[in-house]
Amino acid sequence: MALYGTGAVVVTVLWIITPGAALFYDVSPKAAALLGGLGAVVYGCGPLRGLCGRLLASRERRLAAGLLLLQLVLLTLATVFSTMPALSVAGSNWRRMGWVTEAGLLVFAFLVACVRTSHPRASLFYLRVLAFSGAAVAAYAVLQFLHADPFLPASSYRIDWLESLRPPSTMGHPLYLANVLVPMLIAAVVLVRRGRSPWERRCAGFTAVLLSAATVLTGTRAAYLAILAAMATVAFAPGPRRRARLIAAAVAAPLLLVLVYAAVTMGPSPIRKVAERWKSDPQGGKRLPVWRDSLSMAMAPRPLGTGPETFPAAFPVFASKDLAVRYPNHYHESPHNVLLDIWLSRGAFAGVGFLVLVALTWSRSYRVADAAGTLYLPALFAASVVAHLSSVFTIPDALIFYLILGMAIGGMDGTLAGNFPHRAFAIHGTVAAIRVLALLGMVFAVQLSVAEWHLSSADSDFSSHHRAAALEHYAQAQTWQPAGACFDFWFGRKLLADPDPAGDAMQAINSEAALLVAARRAAWCSEQRHNALLLLATVYANRGYDRPAEET
């Protein structure tokens, strides 16, 4: 049950978007699917003690599980002592990676490790889940590129200033789509060789072609570097057939570069325009100066970091004049590097702990040999890590990373028996903690889903200029929103832009009062704190409160 349940969580998170039923339709539903799905697995898969006992019977796996626990403890401390605790609990609206979601991802990695320990063929199942769910994600990206999107208007993801269309599929952005496509492509390639039947191997081959095409359409350089890193990892790995692997990589790598060059020079116009931007901006835009200034932020005396999801509010203090001049009026939502993101949000100890966890599991993954073969886990690790050197985690790509991590932990050291001090206490304590976290996640998922539905209804009301209905739906959203969630900045901007109702004095008064309350709350809880303060200053100025407007 746990095997199929965790697989269903992956498929649901990768596929789900709910335009019309949620305001942030490509973010919040994924958080709800992850947390609600985890709760269903934890409370529906039967006793967890046996799964945990088999995992913790191995010394190496106990060490890896201890490092996962350390990440959870440091994440919790960073949230408690955050500069914006409420934001750190629920996460921002653009990626929803607060304490609740991050804790859910750590629980997911632990459950996958338990399943992999108990089911040696689980890795092959997870590779099938990645590859064949990725086929639908890639197919949707191709439909978007061909202007045949059945769910969303192309204007919602077309880059007008670049005169290009880079499809995001169900991931919200082409960069995050590329981050999930590369591990899916590797899984499909493994299945071409390890599929149980000729039919499965043929389907895997078709899926690999489809995933490759979608990767090219994203126009993301990091994806090609991730593929090359996976090739190098397999080619230089110790063991038998190393010479053959080196020869294969020496042939495949130049062939990949030739195909990419052909795609960006002779492909469709949107792809060529992306390539032209690569030439004009070889440094990758704002990333290098943001990394430089983020290192200054990392040296600040905050051993527990500024808190999850607080980078947009904390970074402007450390941003250099050079960055401000080169990118004026620019919103820096993240440090564009997953290691920097963890270091800055949770502190140096968490950053080092994360590196140790990845290094341990990556190095041990070279020893894993099961129904899926060998060296597939190091390749997946290499691709996922390299892809995130220029981006941060969002829910779908973080889920895939922790899936790989769990598969590697579960594949460590084949010992399935043995005792250690306080074994029973460790197993019962682990199960109890997982159940508590799963329950919190389910409550969060229900609250977020209902609140998002009301927000979507309020958005429709604003579009129809039904302000009274929008105020009512937003009041319902406030009732249901989970602890730490903040939608006031969105609501305040919508209310400010909506024309005043003609001839309804009472509604105008209610709207003004709601606008002031929302603007004040947004200045305290929004991840876009600078914009929220500007909103509040505008509200004050419109009311004639000149001094508060200037101070704000």
Side-chain angles (χ1 to χ4, degrees):
M1 177 64 182
L3 174 64
Y4 297 110
T6 50
V9 169
V10 174
V11 174
T12 306
V13 170
L14 292 176
W15 282 0
I16 191 169
I17 54 171
T18 57
L23 181 64
F24 302 98
Y25 56 82
D26 53 2
V27 177
S28 295
K30 295 184 184 297
L34 168 66
L35 298 171
L38 275 180
V41 172
V42 169
Y43 285 98
C45 71
L48 293 174
R49 289 189 294 274
L51 290 173
C52 291
R54 282 186 285 274
L55 178 75
L56 299 178
S58 161
R59 185 175 182 179
E60 283 190 349
R61 292 197 291 265
R62 285 201 301 273
L63 176 60
L67 291 172
L68 283 176
L69 176 62
L70 176 64
Q71 287 296 307
L72 178 61
V73 170
L74 293 174
L75 171 69
T76 304
L77 291 174
T79 302
V80 171
F81 295 100
S82 169
T83 56
M84 300 179 71
L87 176 62
S88 293
V89 169
S92 60
N93 293 326
W94 79 273
R95 64 172 180 156
R96 197 59 67 196
M97 289 288 286
W99 178 87
V100 180
T101 305
E102 293 271 15
L105 288 167
L106 292 170
V107 170
F108 176 80
F110 184 83
L111 289 177
V112 170
C114 291
V115 170
R116 169 61 183 81
T117 302
S118 301
H119 303 278
R121 299 187 68 87
S123 293
L124 194 59
F125 170 78
Y126 287 131
L127 292 178
R128 291 188 181 110
V129 167
L130 277 181
F132 297 128
S133 65
V137 172
Y140 183 40
V142 173
L143 287 176
Q144 288 178 327
F145 186 80
L146 297 176
H147 302 278
D149 191 332
F151 306 114
L152 299 170
S155 59
S156 65
Y157 46 82
R158 179 180 173 84
I159 306 174
D160 291 327
W161 61 270
L162 190 57
E163 297 181 352
S164 178
L165 193 155
R166 298 168 61 193
S169 189
T170 58
M171 305 304 156
H173 192 280
L175 175 61
Y176 307 127
L177 172 60
N179 288 348
V180 303
L181 286 177
V182 174
M184 292 170 175
L185 175 59
I186 294 172
V189 171
V190 173
L191 291 177
V192 170
R193 297 191 60 200
R194 293 286 176 171
R196 297 182 65 180
S197 67
W199 180 86
E200 182 181 1
R201 291 192 288 272
R202 284 193 293 270
C203 288
F206 173 77
T207 299
V209 173
L210 186 59
L211 290 165
S212 300
T215 303
V216 172
L217 296 180
T218 63
T220 305
R221 286 170 283 191
Y224 305 128
L225 293 177
I227 294 172
L228 291 174
M231 287 183 181
T233 299
V234 173
F236 290 98
R241 298 177 56 81
R242 185 179 185 185
R243 181 183 179 87
R245 286 188 270 112
L246 286 170
I247 294 174
V251 173
L255 180 61
L256 172 65
L257 296 177
V258 169
L259 291 175
V260 171
Y261 179 79
V264 300
T265 56
M266 296 180 288
S269 175
I271 302 298
R272 295 200 305 272
K273 289 184 180 298
V274 171
E276 291 170 4
R277 184 164 187 268
W278 291 355
K279 294 178 183 178
S280 63
D281 184 21
Q283 294 184 349
K286 61 182 180 179
R287 283 179 175 81
L288 291 180
V290 168
W291 290 347
R292 178 198 61 205
D293 295 348
S294 295
L295 290 175
S296 301
M297 184 176 172
M299 296 299 106
R302 288 195 64 89
L304 294 174
T306 59
E309 292 273 53
T310 58
F311 181 86
F315 179 70
V317 177
F318 301 92
S320 64
K321 181 179 178 181
D322 172 66
L323 179 64
V325 170
R326 292 170 62 182
Y327 299 95
N329 298 319
H330 199 92
Y331 174 56
H332 302 286
E333 79 287 349
S334 75
H336 300 286
N337 180 284
V338 70
L339 301 177
L340 271 176
D341 187 45
I342 292 173
W343 190 296
L344 297 175
S345 63
R346 306 181 206 169
F349 296 116
V352 172
F354 182 79
L355 285 174
V356 171
L357 175 61
V358 171
L360 173 68
T361 50
W362 194 347
S363 63
R364 295 298 187 270
S365 68
Y366 282 90
R367 304 178 185 176
V368 175
D370 54 22
T374 59
L375 300 181
Y376 67 93
L377 279 173
L380 288 168
F381 258 121
S384 189
V385 170
V386 170
H388 287 95
L389 292 180
S390 58
S391 66
V392 294
F393 279 148
T394 59
I395 292 174
D397 49 354
L399 185 69
I400 290 180
F401 175 83
Y402 282 107
L403 173 67
I404 298 167
L405 187 71
M407 290 163 62
I409 293 174
M412 286 180 179
D413 184 349
T415 304
L416 295 179
N419 289 316
F420 57 93
H422 311 295
R423 179 176 182 270
F425 174 78
I427 293 173
H428 286 286
T430 300
V431 172
I434 288 174
R435 291 191 181 278
V436 169
L437 291 173
L439 180 61
L440 291 174
M442 286 193 294
V443 172
F444 185 91
V446 171
Q447 290 179 319
L448 183 63
S449 299
V450 178
E452 281 279 353
W453 184 84
H454 284 294
L455 288 171
S456 179
S457 300
D459 190 42
S460 299
D461 293 332
F462 275 124
S463 300
S464 305
H465 303 296
H466 296 153
R467 182 183 287 194
L471 291 173
E472 177 62 27
H473 278 297
Y474 189 71
Q476 292 294 325
Q478 289 282 299
T479 302
W480 279 96
Q481 74 178 23
C486 181
F487 308 112
D488 296 292
F489 178 59
W490 168 84
F491 177 70
R493 291 181 66 177
K494 278 286 187 179
L495 204 53
L496 191 64
D498 192 52
D500 290 328
D504 193 335
M506 184 56 67
Q507 185 177 332
I509 292 172
N510 292 338
S511 299
E512 282 294 317
L515 176 57
L516 181 60
V517 170
R520 284 174 171 169
R521 277 200 303 245
W524 172 73
C525 68
S526 175
E527 69 264 23
Q528 299 187 44
R529 199 167 191 177
H530 54 296
N531 287 329
L533 288 168
L534 183 60
L535 171 68
L536 180 59
T538 303
V539 173
Y540 281 147
N542 290 345
R543 285 171 165 248
Y545 302 156
D546 295 337
R547 186 176 182 84
E550 292 174 1
E551 292 175 350
T552 303

